[in-house]
Structures are given as structure tokens and as C-alpha cells.
Amino acid sequence: MLEIKKAEKQFGERTVFSGVSFSAEAGETACIVGPSGCGKTTLLRAVAGLVPLSDGTVLLDGEDITSWKAEQRPVVLLFQEALLFPQLTVLENIAYGLKYGRRKLGRRARLAESRAMLQKIEMEQWENAYPVELSGGQKQRVALARALVLKPKLLLLDEPFSSLDASLRQSLRTWVRSFLREEEVTSLFVTHDKEEAVMMSDRLIVMKDGAVQQQGTPETVYHQPENRAAADVIGDGLYDERFIPASSLTIGAADGYSGIIEHPQFMHGYRFYRVNVPSLKQTVVVLSDTLYEEGEAVKLSVTEEKENGAL
Ligand SMILES: Nc1ncnc2c1ncn2[C@@H]1O[C@H](COP(=O)(O)OP(=O)(O)OP(=O)(O)O)[C@@H](O)[C@H]1O
Ligand SMILES: [Mg+2]
């Protein structure tokens, strides 16, 4: 459905990225994960036609849309902020694009389709509310409905949950993930959050230092980062010529990597320690039930090799 070939973008003399190639099948969510400033938003804007690529091709549903104007492209971009029209009700916000956009419908059809969409996002009772009356998560659901009512061939999402608090982000991710799957929406999602990337994607693309470092299923990329850059972005472990998953590391053995305990972390009922390993200039979070002090020097040893990080 979507194929990006050798995409390159320069601003003046500066190359933001080059040689970016990947594809997504119909109904799939491809996710680009990378640090701030690696060009994620720029790439999405280029796919939407809002900025030209310096080089490369964008194919959508078999058609080369590289030089199409933004308004001709059957894609919708969803931003970090919901950006609803404050003077319009929820229903009017959803219906808006059907009046002026690529899919022009009469008033009755507009309202019927918008109401159906409102039902899908489980917000029927908010039809006549104004955006100011909604929570952050509700606003993002309305923004999603407003995008999907246009039946785009491709939905572009630019860190749509980053303005929400942690627990809301978590529940909205799950909701959006199953919504996109049920509706079989092809989407390209960008984030700098690795947990979000692994959870949301069918296909994961790691971008860093102006290039794609690795791509594959979220399972593969998470458990087997191929290089240091990919490991920095996505991995939980250490990279020392090869990737050593955190699940293979033990604190407290007589020898191994010298590390310094930074602080404990409590998750899912377990105690972990964030350990700094100066020789590798990396930090890693390791499970341990022993008590350590902050600043304590420890050794991290590699226990047995575990396939795919599984215990
Ligand atoms: N219109 C522009 N003119 C010049 N430079 C730009 C322009 N837009 C973006 N850049 C530069 O391109 C680089 C990539 O920016 P971009 O916003 O795509 O990063 P990002 O990966 O989305 O980061 P973040 O995670 O912080 O949103 C940055 O260095 C930015 O300064
Ligand atoms: Mg961005």
C-alpha cells in the first residue's frame, strides 16, 4: 500500500535523512521510532505532501504520488495536538472535512457518516459538546474520527499521544491500536517512545543519524538490534560488538562489566536497578532482588544466552 524508496531530505546544506526505504502492507501500522530531531515529522510531512523530498519516491497503492499536491493525496495527518476547531461542536468537527475536502458530501450524508464515526469512537453522547468540554484523550479520539471519516488510504500519526498523561496515553494506545486494526486502516506512526513503537506497530523502522538503522517485526527489532544505533533507540540491554539483552545480565557476580548503580526502579512488582556502564558509555536496567545503594560499584555478568531474550 505504501512504499517509500530512497527518501532524502535536505534543508539548505544540511541532510536530515537519506536512503530511507520501507513499505507497509494494506491494513498495517508501520512505525518509525527515533530520537528527537532525526526527521520523523519531516518524513511524515513529506508523505503528506506538505514539504517536498529532496530525492526519492513515495508510492501509494501503486501510484507514484511524489509530486502530487497535498490536497490531492488520499492521506490524512494527525498531529501531536488534536487541533479541533473550538467554535464547532464535536459532530461539526468530524463533518467538516466532508464539506470541503477530497470527499465532498451533501449535508445529510455528512451528518450520517459523522454520526456513524462518532459511534465508533464511543462518543455519541458528546455530539453537541464543544472541544473545550472534552478531556485530552477524548479530543484525540475526535481528531482520529475527523481523519478517518475522510476514508484516507493512509493515516499518518505524529506522536498523537505525547501531550497526554502517562495512564491516559497507555489506554488510548491500546484503544487506537485495536481501532486501526478493526477498521483495517493503513497507517504510518512516528514516535520517539520505544514502548509505544513496539506496542503500536506491525512493522518497526528504527531511524537514527539520518538513516534507517534496522527494520522488521517489533519482536525482532526489540530483541535483536543489529547495531549500536538501533540498540540505543530500541533495545533494553548493552551493545558490545553484539547485543546483550538485559534479561541475560546479572548484577553482583565477581567479574563482568564494571557498573555503577544509578537508582532503583519499581515495575510490575519487581525491583530493577538502572546501572551505568562507563566502559561502554551505556546504561541498562537490570532485575535484581538484592539491595544496592545508589553510587555502589557492581559487576554485571552475562549469564546464559537466551534466544530472543526469552527466559
Ligand atoms: N522547515 C525547516 N527548515 C529547516 N530545518 C528544519 C525544518 N523543519 C525541520 N528542520 C530540521 O530538521 C530536523 C528534523 O526535524 P523533525 O521535526 O523532522 O524531527 P523529529 O524527528 O520529528 O523530532 P521530534 O521527535 O522532536 O518531533 C531538525 O534538525 C530540524 O531542525
Ligand atoms: Mg516530530
Side-chain angles (χ1 to χ4, degrees), residues 167-304:
S167 66
L168 187 55
R169 199 182 313 155
Q170 192 63 41
S171 63
L172 203 61
R173 271 178 200 161
T174 317
W175 184 86
V176 168
R177 174 87 178 117
S178 45
F179 188 80
L180 295 180
R181 282 208 168 152
E182 265 164 41
E183 300 290 314
E184 296 177 358
V185 181
T186 311
S187 51
L188 178 58
F189 189 102
V190 310
T191 180
H192 64 268
D193 184 319
K194 65 178 177 182
E195 198 188 327
E196 184 161 291
V198 168
M199 196 201 131
M200 296 293 298
S201 61
D202 296 301
R203 200 174 279 238
L204 189 56
I205 299 118
V206 181
M207 236 169 109
K208 200 184 174 206
D209 304 330
V212 171
Q213 300 291 342
Q214 190 175 353
Q215 54 181 308
T217 65
E219 278 278 319
T220 310
V221 178
Y222 177 76
H223 290 301
Q224 298 157 352
E226 278 166 3
N227 56 34
R228 169 74 197 267
D232 278 346
V233 174
I234 200 84
D236 282 321
L238 293 175
Y239 199 90
D240 183 12
E241 288 169 7
R242 67 191 174 91
F243 183 67
I244 306 159
S247 55
S248 299
L249 291 166
T250 311
I251 310 179
D255 56 14
Y257 295 101
S258 295
I260 296 156
I261 300 282
E262 285 192 342
H263 57 78
Q265 252 170 254
F266 301 96
M267 282 181 293
H268 316 299
Y270 293 96
R271 189 197 302 114
F272 295 81
Y273 288 96
R274 177 173 283 277
V275 185
N276 181 8
V277 180
S279 63
L280 298 176
K281 296 195 175 76
Q282 292 171 54
T283 58
V284 61
V285 177
V286 181
L287 182 70
S288 174
D289 46 20
T290 313
L291 280 175
Y292 294 103
E293 299 281 326
E294 282 183 37
E296 195 171 333
V298 292
K299 294 281 185 191
L300 275 181
S301 65
V302 183
T303 49
E304 63 205 274

Side-chain angles (χ1 to χ4, degrees), residues 84-85 87-95 107 110-119 121-131 133-134 138 142:
L84 301 177
F85 300 113
Q87 75 281 18
L88 301 184
T89 64
V90 164
L91 189 69
E92 290 164 348
N93 261 287
I94 297 173
R107 186 182 151 78
R110 278 202 307 274
L111 291 181
E113 292 213 9
S114 302
R115 285 208 173 91
M117 193 48 83
L118 201 55
Q119 208 166 4
I121 61 161
E122 297 153 22
M123 284 186 60
E124 300 98 305
Q125 66 276 41
W126 297 91
E127 180 176 315
N128 297 312
Y130 286 89
E133 300 168 67
L134 306 180
Q138 287 175 322
V142 174

Side-chain angles (χ1 to χ4, degrees), residues 11-12 14 16-17 34-43 45 51 80 158-159 190-192 207:
F11 285 114
R14 216 170 71 81
V16 179
F17 54 76
S36 184
C38 75
K40 303 181 296 294
T41 298
T42 304
L43 182 63
R45 289 171 52 84
V51 288
Q80 214 163 328
D158 191 357
E159 313 216 24
V190 310
T191 180
H192 64 268
M207 236 169 109

